[in-house]
Amino acid sequence: MSHHPGLLRTAPLQGETTSSLICRIAGRYGMEAKALRSYWQWRNYPPGHDGGGARADAEVLLNTAGQEVLAELCGVGQDVLARALPSWGQEDAKLSAGKNGVPAAAWRTGGAVAGPVAFGCRLCTARRTGTAVRVVRYAPRWERVCVRHGRWLLDADADQPLEHLDVRGVPEVVAAQRQWAGVARRAARAGVEPERVFALAHAVVARWWEQALHWEREAVWPRRLHQVAGGNAGGDLPRWRIVGRDAVVFPEVVAVADTLLDPAMAELAWRASGGMRPRARGEDDPLCHRLGERVDRDWLGPLAAADYGGPLSDWRGTIVRARRGSGPPGWRDDPWHLKREQQPATMSGQLRVMAAEAQAGGSGTRWRATASAEHRFHITRLLDEAREELAQLRGAQSGTTAEVARTLLEHLSQSAELIDRAVLHTAAAAVTAGVALEEVAPWSRLPAEELSQILAAGRSED
């Protein structure tokens, strides 16, 4: 029995993508989504992954006539669609009213339209619609836990088959979702947008996640990762570290966000810096010690204190400079500002890099595939420490000649030493990965024989 479009009502879910709704409408009528899409004239082709295959986060923009068609097909008013579908009011240069009111549509990716896109919980969808079908909806990264069913809802823009991770075995992840609401209210009372607080805390913890490979005392994250991987992530650990990262570190992200909003933390940062008498940060840094306590890792303080150049250093540096009144005119004084280069790589981005590394061979090998994680970690750390040394020279050229000269030379000498060590680490990693020493030497500005002797003697630090 065939149905005329519009006889079966299909209500949109809050935050759903228009493309997802069209697919659900097609399912109600027993049609392929491709067949239902013939009701519109398409201005471009659907987005796909680099390796082929349709993207789950594909989004659809409609002109006025196209919106009328969608309203008829799903049997609900346009006002309902406008409230539920974030892409409804979006305009596009490719669309117009069309000749004689022709319904027109254009493809986009969801992230370029209205923010991060994730899969919906099929069990929740079944409760609402009676059918456990796939739903794709816009969801910020701090609202990814389905508390009712214990699921972490994954990004829909990645080329991987999973829609969710089972977090019923890690109740602290579900608890963190409930706690986030209080943190968001606290941020709003402090006059800070909650998403900015979350972004900074996520960047801080994601940086720890990368460093945790070398933390002998870290036992919480490996346990959680194996749990969300179904009991054992060891079979494909690099992929699971990418897919499971955001779910595994979510409790720490919420704890760090809550901690950084505490005014007492700003006071700790100020005292640890020496106040108006600047001093170098030590392993006993009280701010880092407090953060370690808040994430239930008493041993983390010295490790976090030794990490220069990350988002946490920038947060505290901004607070200290604002109190000292230092920094050049116009210097950014927003502690919640997150630099683009400090934003953690997304799951989709990391999976694309992994796929490219797996396919490349010979001279086309990728750095991350051939340079060991240990070498990459040391290089990054040395560069961050050098950057921190140089950052301390802002506004340093005032005072007596001796004071200025001493400050400049001490910090410049220290940063130069750190850069020299980074050069040797990088050269060692390149040679180990198979790049000819004769090529690496001129890049390092060292004679090949001298570089060979240095590497052979093991002067590039382990």
Side-chain angles (χ1 to χ4, degrees):
M1 179 178 178
S2 61
H3 296 276
H4 186 277
L7 294 181
L8 298 178
R9 185 177 185 274
T10 307
L13 300 177
Q14 188 62 41
E16 187 174 9
T17 66
T18 302
S19 176
S20 173
L21 177 60
I22 291 174
C23 289
R24 289 201 299 116
I25 295 171
R28 290 292 307 277
Y29 291 108
M31 302 170 61
E32 293 288 336
K34 184 176 181 180
L36 187 67
R37 289 198 290 264
S38 64
Y39 281 89
W40 294 273
Q41 285 190 0
W42 295 86
R43 306 303 193 195
N44 57 354
Y45 294 99
H49 291 294
D50 294 340
R55 291 179 58 134
D57 68 328
E59 178 59 297
V60 172
L61 301 182
L62 304 172
N63 67 355
T64 302
Q67 291 175 346
E68 293 173 356
V69 170
L70 182 61
E72 293 176 2
L73 288 171
C74 62
V76 299
Q78 292 195 40
D79 57 334
V80 176
L81 294 172
R83 289 194 298 270
L85 305 179
S87 68
W88 188 258
Q90 301 287 336
E91 298 181 355
D92 190 273
K94 291 181 178 294
L95 299 175
S96 62
K99 185 178 180 180
N100 298 324
V102 174
W107 289 102
R108 290 289 179 270
T109 58
V113 174
V117 180
F119 293 104
C121 175
R122 291 196 182 221
L123 297 180
C124 289
T125 302
R127 292 182 72 252
R128 288 283 308 277
T129 68
T131 308
V133 295
R134 188 180 81 174
V135 168
V136 181
R137 55 186 292 271
Y138 293 95
R141 301 191 189 282
W142 56 85
E143 292 181 2
R144 294 300 178 83
V145 180
C146 173
V147 175
R148 180 186 296 273
H149 299 112
R151 292 181 168 185
W152 177 272
L153 306 174
L154 291 167
D155 291 343
D157 61 347
D159 188 7
Q160 60 88 34
L162 298 176
E163 295 183 15
H164 72 271
L165 300 176
D166 188 344
V167 294
R168 288 175 296 177
V170 279
E172 60 267 34
V173 175
V174 178
Q177 182 67 84
R178 293 191 174 99
Q179 294 163 5
W180 170 252
V183 177
R185 289 193 295 270
R186 187 174 184 179
R189 289 196 299 269
V192 186
E193 296 173 350
E195 53 265 36
R196 302 184 69 212
V197 176
F198 181 88
L200 181 67
H202 184 251
V204 170
V205 178
R207 187 176 175 90
W208 290 348
W209 173 257
E210 295 302 320
Q211 298 170 355
L213 286 170
H214 307 278
W215 291 352
E216 295 181 359
R217 301 180 64 179
E218 177 55 48
V220 176
W221 283 344
R223 175 187 61 80
R224 282 191 204 148
L225 184 61
H226 287 300
Q227 189 70 42
V228 301
N232 183 14
D236 193 1
L237 184 59
R239 175 173 287 273
W240 276 114
R241 276 185 54 80
I242 294 172
V243 175
R245 180 196 67 186
D246 288 351
V248 169
V249 305
F250 186 59
E252 285 74 21
V253 172
V254 174
V256 169
D258 190 36
T259 303
L260 294 181
L261 283 168
D262 186 350
M265 295 299 286
E267 187 62 32
L268 281 178
W270 173 245
R271 293 208 308 266
S273 71
M276 298 305 293
R277 291 186 171 184
R279 65 169 178 262
R281 191 164 72 203
E283 290 187 355
D284 59 345
D285 186 323
L287 184 145
C288 293
H289 180 70
R290 180 72 58 83
L291 276 176
E293 290 179 335
R294 290 297 303 272
V295 296
D296 296 324
R297 291 165 175 83
D298 293 340
W299 46 266
L300 180 58
L303 296 176
D307 181 25
Y308 296 90
L312 181 59
S313 291
D314 283 2
W315 178 86
R316 66 189 300 159
T318 302
I319 289 174
V320 170
R321 284 191 298 271
R323 290 202 180 189
R324 288 179 184 158
S326 60
W331 178 253
R332 185 182 295 276
D333 58 358
D334 179 8
W336 304 104
H337 172 71
L338 181 63
K339 297 175 182 175
R340 181 181 296 274
E341 63 269 20
Q342 292 176 345
Q343 296 174 5
T346 62
M347 178 175 68
S348 61
Q350 292 181 86
L351 290 176
R352 283 196 299 271
V353 170
M354 176 179 283
E357 290 172 349
Q359 294 174 0
S363 61
T365 55
R366 308 286 290 224
W367 174 258
R368 290 180 61 87
T370 52
S372 69
E374 186 177 16
H375 267 129
R376 299 199 310 270
F377 172 75
H378 279 302
I379 293 167
T380 300
R381 185 165 180 171
L382 289 168
L383 293 177
D384 286 343
E385 290 180 5
R387 189 179 297 112
E388 181 72 12
E389 287 289 335
L390 294 174
Q392 295 183 45
L393 295 179
R394 294 192 184 98
Q397 297 193 56
S398 61
T400 67
T401 303
E403 290 174 342
V404 172
R406 179 180 61 82
T407 301
L408 289 174
L409 291 174
E410 285 181 351
H411 286 286
L412 289 172
S413 298
Q414 179 63 18
S415 61
E417 179 185 346
L418 293 167
I419 291 173
D420 286 343
R421 288 161 60 191
V423 167
L424 294 179
H425 269 294
T426 305
V431 171
T432 303
V435 182
L437 181 69
E438 291 72 18
E439 290 186 75
V440 176
W443 300 338
S444 308
R445 296 190 177 183
L446 290 171
E449 183 177 353
E450 180 181 346
L451 178 60
S452 176
Q453 292 174 352
I454 293 174
L455 297 182
R459 291 188 206 173
S460 58
E461 294 180 350
D462 185 64

